[in-house]
Amino acid sequence: MQSDVDVFIIQKQTTLERYTRSKINIDFFDYLERDNQTPVPLQEAHNEHTKSRDILLKALEKYSLTYKIFNLDELSSNNICYYNDKCKNSGLNPKLKLVISLGGDGTLLHASHHVGGDVALLGINSCPAHSVGHMCPVVPNDIEKAIGCIVKKEYSTKSVRRIKLEVSRKQILPLALNDVLLCNRHPAATSRYQLGIFSSNFTKEFGSEKQLSSGLWVSTAAGSTAAISSYGFQKLDLLSSQILAAVREPYTPRNESLQLKQFSIDGDEKSLLFFSRMRQGLVCVDGPDSCAYLGFGDTVKMSLPKECAINLVLDFFGKVPLFPIDNG
């Protein structure tokens, strides 16, 4: 999306906004009461987020930077497409080549789907007391300092690898910054598929296996602290080219030993091929909101090309405290 503004901001909708101020068929306050909750923490989180937004907008205005701001729903309603490395004008393309995510890690993951390799992504944790922000190094008190460093070009980025997914039905999926889940559409149904390890260009096969399970997790280095960490994988360096894979609840009716139950591969050399043996399969990217359906014989190629990496703003040359990201 070409634009004449300096910066795009992608912000989260707070729980209070999403469930109490929109038209949904639920009495959310009644739910809170029955769950022995009060709306006070939600109001506090909402207030903290809006305060952070005000600080950010004032900082941008202080430095005479123009901007457009969207929440996640507005990205869809404005037909803002995913970034595609094969489509020159895809994704968000502001003049300063900067997109700001205002929320937590979930917001940053959604924002990353619309950001290409020549645009930097800065994560601001708008309410650290209520939100997880492993990839959001800036907290509210340091927003103005961070924007000042952006203007003065006193910052650096790290090129973090993303998984590229190519689905045989030509369904459009974003690049995965965190992880991918491949499974049956119904959680009570068995996921049936064949998993193969191939060369990076898919011309040579190194091994494959038919599997029955609850699904398959595939993760990047950035996602090594997320769901796949429950399988015993160690946290990877953010710049690692490793792809992690783990089978969820494998089922072996004849007590076979799965060869590809849990493993890692070098994404510079190898890729994965998922062959669906399901009538109703599903592939989800970075959570439940970016999905594609799979049928019998559909395939999903998963690779880690360098040109699909994203540039995360993670350092301000010591001028802004970084929290909680470890840049070591």
Side-chain angles (χ1 to χ4, degrees):
M1 178 181 178
Q2 302 294 322
S3 178
D4 57 358
V5 298
D6 296 310
V7 176
F8 279 111
I9 304 166
I10 310 301
Q11 68 163 337
K12 73 174 183 180
Q13 279 185 290
T14 66
T15 302
L16 198 69
E17 289 173 324
R18 184 173 293 277
Y19 295 116
T20 67
R21 298 183 181 179
S22 57
K23 296 179 181 179
I24 56 174
N25 188 25
I26 184 174
D27 186 336
F28 192 69
F29 290 110
D30 176 66
Y31 153 72
L32 291 176
E33 184 177 348
R34 290 187 289 113
D35 196 37
N36 295 318
Q37 297 187 57
T38 75
V40 173
L42 298 181
Q43 186 66 59
E44 290 175 348
H46 173 79
N47 292 345
E48 188 176 353
H49 172 75
T50 55
K51 181 180 178 181
S52 297
R53 182 178 61 206
D54 290 342
I55 294 171
L56 173 60
L57 299 187
K58 288 178 181 177
L60 293 173
E61 291 164 2
K62 174 182 176 180
Y63 290 100
S64 301
L65 298 180
T66 57
Y67 60 85
K68 285 185 180 178
I69 185 166
F70 300 99
N71 64 38
L72 301 181
D73 290 341
E74 289 167 344
L75 288 174
S76 298
S77 62
N78 283 273
N79 295 316
I80 297 175
C81 64
Y82 295 137
Y83 169 73
N84 184 324
D85 62 303
K86 301 299 183 185
C87 182
K88 185 177 180 180
N89 295 322
S90 62
L92 298 169
N93 194 17
K95 287 195 294 185
L96 276 187
K97 303 295 185 182
L98 177 70
V99 173
I100 297 174
S101 165
L102 184 66
D105 280 343
T107 307
L108 183 136
L109 289 174
H110 280 85
S112 74
H113 297 166
H114 304 274
V115 177
D118 62 342
V119 176
L121 176 60
L122 169 63
I124 297 175
N125 191 342
S126 61
C127 42
H130 302 273
S131 182
V132 176
H134 290 295
M135 290 184 283
C136 303
V138 176
V139 294
N141 288 342
D142 298 316
I143 289 175
E144 186 174 327
K145 290 180 186 177
I147 298 303
C149 287
I150 294 291
V151 171
K152 299 170 188 174
K153 300 188 183 303
E154 297 174 336
Y155 70 96
S156 64
T157 62
K158 286 191 175 182
S159 181
V160 181
R161 304 290 280 274
R162 293 186 286 186
I163 295 173
K164 179 177 180 177
L165 298 101
E166 298 173 87
V167 184
S168 56
R169 288 193 188 187
K170 304 300 181 184
Q171 298 176 81
I172 298 174
L173 286 171
L175 299 171
L177 177 56
N178 231 33
D179 50 33
V180 180
L181 175 63
L182 304 106
C183 58
N184 196 291
R185 286 189 227 174
H186 197 294
T190 301
S191 298
R192 302 170 183 269
Y193 54 90
Q194 182 164 321
L195 176 62
I197 300 177
F198 284 74
S199 59
S200 58
N201 58 4
F202 294 96
T203 58
K204 180 179 179 181
E205 180 180 330
F206 294 101
S208 65
E209 184 174 57
K210 291 181 179 179
Q211 297 182 343
L212 304 176
S213 71
S214 294
L216 177 72
W217 281 114
V218 180
S219 171
T220 64
S224 64
T225 58
I228 210 162
S229 66
S230 64
Y231 294 87
F233 287 104
Q234 298 298 308
K235 177 183 177 182
L236 294 176
D237 182 277
L238 203 58
L239 302 186
S240 171
S241 62
Q242 292 294 300
I243 299 175
L244 306 179
V247 179
R248 300 198 311 171
E249 299 175 317
Y251 175 56
T252 53
R254 285 170 287 278
N255 297 317
E256 312 96 322
S257 295
L258 291 184
Q259 300 302 306
L260 301 178
K261 180 180 177 181
Q262 184 176 316
F263 60 92
S264 66
I265 58 174
D266 185 346
D268 284 330
E269 300 177 356
K270 296 178 180 178
S271 298
L272 298 177
L273 178 66
F274 182 95
F275 179 89
S276 171
R277 301 174 62 235
M278 298 172 281
R279 181 174 62 88
Q280 293 185 311
L282 184 68
V283 51
C284 302
V285 178
D286 289 336
D289 296 322
S290 300
C291 303
Y293 293 138
L294 305 174
F296 288 124
D298 284 334
T299 60
V300 183
K301 293 180 177 180
M302 290 171 279
S303 58
L304 203 72
K306 291 180 180 178
E307 58 269 23
C308 290
I310 189 170
N311 291 315
L312 297 182
V313 179
L314 298 179
D315 191 15
F316 295 93
F317 305 151
K319 298 179 182 295
V320 179
L322 301 181
F323 176 86
I325 248 172
D326 176 14
N327 287 305

